[in-house]
């Protein structure tokens, strides 16, 4: 069965099929236009602004999806609140701040070791270089964590740094071996703290934080522990005399130890 209807409009027409897909545009002015409706088929006639504009004017204003409306409620309006924070719990924020403090404390300790071996009456320049570079690396880790904290919408809260030792001589081991054993202990402590940070991320379901710790820190930390363990083993072999100087020279000139 086909029925015919006449309309009179001014502009152009767009025909849409039953799936809402555009079929063709029919420009016209103030003429009557007839179209048909066939059983089991639907044709919709829509007015458009111009003959070259194929978008139908539905008269309906755009509104966000219902899912987005729920997210809009989470966008803070107070200036003190972070706009980018999402799925980032307070426990993760606190754990990041704790790890920043760990990295700065280790950096501070390494800087004290650098200052000791750089003394004129110690003069082990290779060890001084090694600990200075280690201090800078740990400080870089702290800054990387600070960048991440800001990226997730947390607040960096720097804590107090403990004053490190300034004397590292040891009657039995000597200063070089004693210092390297301290360094190995610090690296293991740092690794333990990083594993705790990763555990917090896993417990809270923060996949992004877990991936960040894995990709940026854990692998590197294992490598550092292995390297310093080898240094400790070698220094135990060479004793406190000429062997320490030879070890120091290899560190100074970047040769494999």
């Amino acid at each position: 069965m086909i029925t015919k209807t006449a309309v009179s409009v001014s502009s152009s027409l767009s025909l849409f099929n039953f799936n809402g897909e555009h079929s063709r545009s029919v420009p016209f002015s103030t003429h009557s236009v007839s179209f048909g409706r066939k059983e089991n088929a639907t044709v919709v006639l829509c007015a458009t602004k111009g003959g070259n504009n194929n978008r139908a004017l539905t008269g309906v204003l755009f509104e966000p999806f219902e899912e987005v409306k729920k997210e809009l409620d989470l966008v803070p309006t107070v200036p003190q609140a972070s706009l980018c924070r999402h799925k980032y719990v307070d426990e993760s924020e606190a754990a990041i701040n704790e790890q920043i403090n760990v990295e700065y404390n280790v950096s501070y300790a390494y800087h004290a070791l650098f200052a000791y071996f750089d003394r004129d009456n110690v003069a082990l320049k290779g060890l001084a270089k090694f600990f200075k570079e280690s201090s800078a690396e740990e400080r870089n880790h702290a800054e990387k964590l600070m960048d991440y904290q800001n990226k997730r919408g947390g607040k960096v809260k720097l804590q107090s740094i403990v004053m490190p030792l300034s004397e590292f001589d040891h009657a039995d081991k000597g200063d070089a071996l004693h210092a390297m054993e301290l360094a190995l202990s610090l690296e293991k402590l740092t690794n333990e703290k990083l594993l705790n940070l990763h555990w917090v991320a896993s417990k809270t379901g923060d996949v992004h934080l877990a991936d960040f710790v894995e990709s940026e820190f854990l692998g590197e930390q294992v490598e550092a522990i292995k390297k310093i363990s080898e240094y400790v083993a070698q220094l135990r072999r060479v004793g406190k005399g000429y062997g320490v100087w030879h070890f120091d020279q290899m560190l100074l000139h970047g040769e494999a130890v």
Side-chain angles (χ1 to χ4, degrees), residues 15-26:
L15 295 181
F16 289 78
N17 60 25
F18 68 94
N19 289 323
E21 298 172 348
H22 181 265
S23 176
R24 61 192 179 89
S25 179
V26 183

Side-chain angles (χ1 to χ4, degrees), residues 110 113-115 117-118 124-136 248-255:
Y110 282 155
L113 284 161
F114 152 70
F117 287 106
D118 194 52
L124 290 173
K125 297 294 185 179
L127 284 162
K129 174 187 174 185
F130 172 78
F131 285 118
K132 185 176 183 180
E133 291 174 350
S134 298
S135 176
D248 179 77
Q249 288 297 302
M250 295 182 73
L251 280 181
L252 180 62
H253 298 295
E255 300 175 17

Side-chain angles (χ1 to χ4, degrees), residues 180-232:
M180 201 60 73
E181 286 180 346
L182 287 174
L184 179 57
S185 298
L186 288 171
E187 291 298 328
K188 288 185 175 182
L189 174 63
T190 302
N191 188 55
E192 183 178 342
K193 295 295 186 180
L194 285 168
L195 291 174
N196 180 69
L197 176 60
H198 186 272
W199 177 80
V200 170
S202 300
K203 183 183 70 170
T204 58
D206 195 330
V207 179
H208 192 280
L209 177 57
D211 178 70
F212 171 71
V213 176
E214 290 173 9
S215 60
E216 297 290 340
F217 296 99
L218 292 183
E220 182 180 329
Q221 199 63 34
V222 170
E223 295 293 334
I225 290 173
K226 175 64 162 56
K227 180 177 69 174
I228 298 178
S229 296
E230 293 175 348
Y231 289 172
V232 169

